[in-house]
Amino acid sequence: MILMEVSPLIHLIRPPYSTDSICPPINLLALAAYVEPYHPVSISDFVISYVRKELTMDAAGMEQAARQILQHDAQVLAFTSMCSSYAAALRIAEACKRLDPSRFILFGGPHAGFVARETLEAFDFVDAIVLGEGEETLLDLLNALRDKQTLHGIPSLVFRDGGEIIETDRRKVLDDLGDLPFPAFHLIQNVDSYYEPGVDRFIEIEAGRGCPFNCKFCSTSLFFSRRYRLKTPKQIVDEMMWLKQNWNITGFGLIHDNLTVRKDMVRELCEYINDTGVPFQWYCSSRTDTIDREMMEFMKEAGCQGIFFGVETGSQSMQKTVGKRLKLDRSRETFRDLAEVGIDATASFIIGFPDETLDDLEDTLSMALEVRLYGTRDVQLHPITALPGTEILNEHEDRLVFHEHVLTFHDITSVIEISDVEMEWIRNHRRPFSNFYAVPPLHYPMELVYQIRGCYFHLMHERGYTLYSLQKASGMRHVEIVEQLVQLLPDSYREWTPERLTHALESYVAEFPGEVGAFVRDVLLYEQTMRKTAEFTDGANGWIRYKGAMPEVYAADNREVSLKPLQVLELSYDVPTLMKQMLVEPTLTREIREYHLAIVFEWEAHNVRTMEVDPLTAEIMNRVQGGSTLGACLQELSDEHPFLTSDEERQTWRDEVMTHLDAANLLVHPASSSKHLVEGL
């Protein structure tokens, strides 16, 4: 055991990993606030430099990070880590110890805590690991090192004592999060470095801790002892207000595994937010059985923009097997309600559970696709990962296999480069790095998991209607569709780009025979055109943005009445109506008829709507799409009309057509004109 010769300074470190949304490390800022009244604190965050390619994962990059840390006059170097960045954190810690053996290397967080003994046995440069919630244990540890006291009496600690590894008894989790101090936001010297100029700023803040449920694949519920706790509404809103006023934050992720367990506490929080009069935008996580329509509505009123849900499996029997125990009919109702209320939802599913059968897998893919078509913004498919601390790992550790595809398709491992050093550690120390291993399903090949993840994760979002109509109309199983697509794709998964995946599906549909093929091709054309009319992008943490520039017809210098941006399709089926009906009645009869469908982009609302139009309106739209102005188009059509014989009749006809188009809300009027007809059109 290393004893400090001087009062210890502690330096908190977030190791590198990739992310689409960089924001300050709230967990470290919360820990810092707890110990700062007694011990000076500083922070290093390597996520920024790694994402911006200023830090590499080779030996030179690790030494660069270590030397940056050692510039701080801190004797205790405390690393937090997610499972994906655990190896990187260990490499930086190793370099720190090699360059300065006097430093005390400390780890904390769920991953480190669940593999604490294994980590100390494998890596002799780690001095101690905090188990569970870190505030009290960290402060006790720093006090003991300062006072040159033994560490044996500190609960929730694993440490070295000579050649022996000591693990003390666990302490209880904090009873009242209301006692936690305000996070040490002042330790972030340059918050602008986390955000791009002109982009909405998002940050995650801690709303509470502890999920009372007991899913076999989840480790965080055990980390927090399954004790549901929330910060007070005042604590949460005070942090949001400070961040909005001082850092110009506009979006907040309220971090809690299951915020909505207590309806009364969530209502109290929402009322407190509303009472501020500030239009906060925030996101959270929930279960589909701990939220109802009433709760959604008051959350929406308080600024809730999006909610993450872990559904995990679409098989009712597997819900019991994996310990999730959702009632899936209730889950479907929840996602339909969210779409109607106007809260964006994310539905996360897991594929490849050890006991999952092909029928279970089919149920999951069917539900994932249905939920997407209800209007759920994001549907995720994750191969099962055996995380430390979970029943999945404890039950199947002897079956773990290393597979290179884990580094491609397991989102929990694909957020960082893996060097040869980390690869050797991963292969030699299976349990500390179990998230880099696969648990093969017992009833079908592991390769199928990766094929499904590779195909459906993208196609459910880009061509969800096409997949659904193909599966329902043809009677094929989703697995069969995947097998057909795989034949049209390159051998290497890394070459399965979004463009190639989309092309493979479109090629397969183009050759599909019979009436089913004709129907699915209409659906494909509809979906392609919807995407073409207005491209949106899902940014990090739920932000949805329109990709393009403002359409020219909305420009301030536009002086003509114009059609809104739109596309018109000539179909044989009423695709929008049929798709809605198929979600309720998959075997319905499809009527073939001439059908003109307009897809209209509403710029001001940033959404797309569809409507059936008559042949004349379709002809006008096609001519305008071909380059004609609306005025010139109507002039040509009136001149071509065989029953209009005078200028007065032609003008009257043009006025009637304009009135018809305006009533259908298809026109953009110049800012300088009234919302009526323009003389002379």
Side-chain angles (χ1 to χ4, degrees), residues 77-81 86 89-90 93 105-109 112 119 125-126 128-131:
L77 306 181
F79 291 80
T80 187
S81 176
Y86 197 48
L90 287 166
I105 303 297
L106 178 68
F107 272 73
T119 298
F125 52 85
V126 179
I129 293 178
V130 173
L131 306 178

Side-chain angles (χ1 to χ4, degrees), residues 202-357:
F202 178 91
I203 194 171
E204 294 178 337
I205 63 173
E206 185 182 47
R209 301 174 184 177
C211 175
F213 297 92
N214 191 29
C215 301
K216 290 186 176 182
F217 50 85
C218 178
S219 61
T220 56
S221 64
L222 295 176
F223 182 80
F224 294 118
S225 300
R226 297 173 62 191
R227 284 279 310 282
Y228 176 83
R229 292 152 293 157
L230 278 184
K231 287 185 173 180
T232 67
K234 184 178 188 306
Q235 281 176 293
I236 296 170
V237 175
D238 282 353
E239 290 181 30
M240 295 167 73
M241 191 72 76
W242 190 96
L243 290 163
K244 186 177 183 69
Q245 293 174 347
N246 293 275
W247 287 0
N248 195 29
I249 303 296
T250 55
F252 299 87
L254 304 188
I255 300 304
H256 193 298
D257 285 340
N258 191 355
L259 183 72
T260 59
V261 166
R262 287 279 304 276
K263 185 175 182 177
D264 58 332
M265 298 177 77
V266 176
R267 179 181 286 279
E268 184 182 358
L269 171 62
C270 291
E271 290 174 349
Y272 199 97
I273 291 173
N274 287 333
D275 287 345
T276 68
V278 178
F280 290 113
Q281 293 186 332
W282 52 276
Y283 305 79
C284 66
S285 296
S286 176
R287 281 174 55 110
T288 58
D289 57 357
T290 62
I291 189 171
D292 57 22
R293 180 73 176 246
E294 181 187 15
M295 185 182 286
M296 295 173 199
E297 289 172 348
F298 65 67
M299 289 171 69
K300 174 69 174 178
E301 183 183 359
C304 180
Q305 305 295 302
I307 306 177
F308 175 93
F309 296 89
V311 182
E312 321 312 355
T313 174
S315 162
Q316 194 61 66
S317 63
M318 283 298 295
Q319 282 287 330
K320 181 178 180 180
T321 299
V322 303
K324 188 76 180 185
R325 301 181 186 277
L326 295 174
K327 300 297 184 184
L328 294 178
D329 287 344
R330 165 78 180 274
S331 298
R332 291 181 173 91
E333 180 183 350
T334 294
F335 288 111
R336 285 191 289 262
D337 284 345
L338 286 160
E340 292 175 6
V341 170
I343 295 178
D344 288 329
T346 295
S348 177
F349 292 85
I350 295 174
I351 56 176
F353 283 110
D355 298 316
E356 185 176 63
T357 66

Side-chain angles (χ1 to χ4, degrees), residues 95 102 119 124 147 191 239-241 245 273 329 524 551 574 593 599 627:
S102 70
T119 298
D124 60 6
D147 299 337
V191 71
E239 290 181 30
M240 295 167 73
M241 191 72 76
Q245 293 174 347
I273 291 173
D329 287 344
L524 174 60
D574 180 355
R593 67 179 177 87
I599 299 175

Side-chain angles (χ1 to χ4, degrees), residues 364-483:
T364 292
L365 296 177
S366 293
M367 183 174 179
L369 195 50
E370 288 171 15
V371 165
R372 170 63 179 160
L373 298 186
Y374 293 158
T376 300
R377 182 188 66 83
D378 187 24
V379 175
Q380 302 175 356
L381 288 177
H382 304 284
I384 182 65
T385 298
L387 295 174
T390 64
E391 287 187 47
I392 289 285
L393 178 59
N394 294 336
E395 293 175 2
H396 298 277
E397 184 175 2
D398 59 339
R399 298 182 55 245
L400 293 180
V401 294
F402 181 81
H403 199 299
E404 64 177 4
H405 298 332
V406 176
L407 305 181
T408 301
F409 291 122
H410 287 233
D411 304 273
I412 211 161
T413 61
S414 60
V415 298
I416 197 164
E417 300 169 76
I418 302 297
S419 71
D420 291 341
V421 175
E422 283 107 11
M423 190 64 72
E424 182 179 355
W425 286 357
I426 289 167
R427 290 183 181 276
N428 291 338
H429 307 289
R430 187 165 62 173
R431 190 171 182 87
F433 303 110
S434 63
N435 55 293
F436 288 92
Y437 287 76
V439 183
L442 295 169
H443 303 293
Y444 56 84
M446 187 72 202
E447 196 71 16
L448 182 58
V449 174
Y450 299 127
Q451 290 173 346
I452 291 171
R453 172 62 170 78
C455 286
Y456 264 46
F457 188 77
H458 170 74
L459 291 175
M460 277 197 308
H461 292 85
E462 297 298 317
R463 297 293 182 265
Y465 284 110
T466 305
L467 280 179
Y468 189 81
S469 63
L470 175 61
Q471 191 270 325
K472 293 299 182 184
S474 70
M476 298 174 68
R477 292 168 69 91
H478 289 291
V479 170
E480 294 178 89
I481 295 173
V482 170
E483 289 171 347

Side-chain angles (χ1 to χ4, degrees), residues 64-228:
Q64 170 192 338
R67 291 189 181 278
Q68 180 178 325
I69 292 169
L70 295 175
Q71 288 177 1
H72 297 268
D73 185 21
Q75 289 299 302
V76 178
L77 306 181
F79 291 80
T80 187
S81 176
M82 302 186 300
C83 53
S84 56
S85 59
Y86 197 48
L90 287 166
R91 284 193 66 197
I92 296 173
E94 181 187 41
C96 289
K97 197 73 162 183
R98 173 171 44 81
L99 293 169
D100 186 350
S102 70
R103 304 296 181 110
F104 188 94
I105 303 297
L106 178 68
F107 272 73
H111 189 93
F114 285 123
V115 292
R117 180 172 291 276
E118 293 88 346
T119 298
L120 266 67
E121 289 172 349
F123 303 104
D124 60 6
F125 52 85
V126 179
D127 295 303
I129 293 178
V130 173
L131 306 178
E133 296 180 358
E135 287 89 353
E136 293 178 315
T137 300
L138 180 59
L139 183 56
D140 287 350
L141 172 67
L142 295 176
N143 290 339
L145 293 175
R146 177 197 60 200
D147 299 337
K148 299 183 180 181
Q149 298 295 315
T150 177
L151 305 184
H152 288 75
I154 300 174
S156 292
L157 191 67
V158 180
F159 62 95
R160 300 182 190 281
D161 188 359
E164 188 178 0
I165 295 175
I166 305 297
E167 181 172 348
T168 63
D169 294 336
R170 296 293 294 266
R171 71 167 79 233
K172 293 182 179 180
V173 296
L174 297 172
D175 285 325
D176 187 359
L177 301 186
D179 294 334
L180 291 175
F182 196 80
F185 295 127
H186 62 276
L187 293 178
I188 302 299
Q189 301 298 314
N190 180 18
V191 71
D192 292 341
S193 64
Y194 286 88
Y195 301 102
E196 297 295 331
V199 175
D200 294 323
R201 293 186 171 191
F202 178 91
I203 194 171
E204 294 178 337
I205 63 173
E206 185 182 47
R209 301 174 184 177
C211 175
F213 297 92
N214 191 29
C215 301
K216 290 186 176 182
F217 50 85
C218 178
S219 61
T220 56
S221 64
L222 295 176
F223 182 80
F224 294 118
S225 300
R226 297 173 62 191
R227 284 279 310 282
Y228 176 83

